[in-house]
Amino acid sequence: AQSVTQLGSHVSVSEGALVLLRCNYSSSVPPYLFWYVQYPNQGLQLLLKYTSAATLVKGINGFEAEFKKSETSFHLTKPSAHMSDAAEYFCAVRHGSGNTGKLIFGQGTTLQVKP
Amino acid sequence: DTAVSQTPKYLVTQMGNDKSIKCEQNLGHDTMYWYKQDSKKFLKIMFSYNNKELIINETVPNRFSPKSPDKAHLNLHINSLELGDSAVYFCASSQGWGGTDTQYFGPGTRLTVL
């Protein structure tokens, strides 16, 4: 069965500091992996996705993530945090064969950016 | 020109009532979804339709009934509302239901059952 674990329900960084949000997955088949962001009182917006092409995936707003099969990880990073990055971040995994289309979400990580 | 829209945005109602949430997408997508986000922000899929056909039906009480009148609409009807139904409900859509298809989410409907 697929699952996603996000380490750290709350991460706090200073403006300009590196952002690192951790995500580990469990999947019996090659996974498709996603990072979504949710700003307060809004829906989810896709940041980036891994679809078995390049292992380093670049997304919107300066975010990127690296797929590491040996570590079953898909951590999200951004070199320099901005105040506008404060939001809830969700990692999600989807069945590689895509025959069910079910997206399994992690529990989310709240990113706080301090001035 | 909102891609995925939901109405209403807020819904406050009494236990035992019946209510509906509407969802519309103007992206021309074939697949639509309903998700529930609980108070701890945990997101879980409830239903998915592809070309008006139900393809995912998670373990959801049968008080919840989705209806897809056409590919652009997926409504959620809830009978006999209970306190535990209080949550934010998100509609989403994707081009297909393959593994790489991006899901686009609506703004959510915050349901409060008193």
Side-chain angles (χ1 to χ4, degrees), chain B residues 35-77:
Chain B
Y35 286 87
K36 179 180 181 180
Q37 186 175 45
D38 64 23
S39 58
K40 295 184 179 178
K41 300 197 174 180
F42 181 65
L43 268 159
K44 192 170 190 304
I45 190 164
M46 301 172 69
F47 303 103
S48 177
Y49 273 74
N50 180 257
N51 281 319
K52 297 179 13 179
E53 181 181 343
L54 183 66
I55 57 170
I56 294 175
N57 186 354
E58 287 294 283
T59 309
V60 175
N62 57 16
R63 298 181 295 103
F64 290 79
S65 53
K67 284 192 171 46
S68 182
D70 55 57
K71 286 197 319 181
H73 296 84
L74 180 62
N75 303 323
L76 183 65
H77 188 76

Side-chain angles (χ1 to χ4, degrees), chain A residues 32 34 36 38 41-46 49-51 88 90 94-108 110, chain B residues 9-10 33 35 37 40-45 48 55-56 58 90 94 96-108 110:
Chain A
Y32 298 124
F34 304 77
Y36 280 87
Q38 183 180 24
N41 298 314
Q42 294 187 29
L44 280 76
Q45 180 184 4
L46 181 72
K49 63 180 179 182
Y50 167 74
T51 60
E88 191 80 18
F90 292 94
R94 199 165 185 182
H95 199 286
S97 67
N99 59 345
T100 64
K102 202 181 335 184
L103 203 55
I104 307 297
F105 284 91
Q107 64 270 47
T110 303
Chain B
K9 189 167 174 65
Y10 299 97
Y33 312 80
Y35 286 87
Q37 186 175 45
K40 295 184 179 178
K41 300 197 174 180
F42 181 65
L43 268 159
K44 192 170 190 304
I45 190 164
S48 177
I55 57 170
I56 294 175
E58 287 294 283
F90 287 100
S94 62
W97 52 305
T100 62
D101 285 302
T102 297
Q103 294 184 21
Y104 295 84
F105 284 76
R110 183 174 294 275

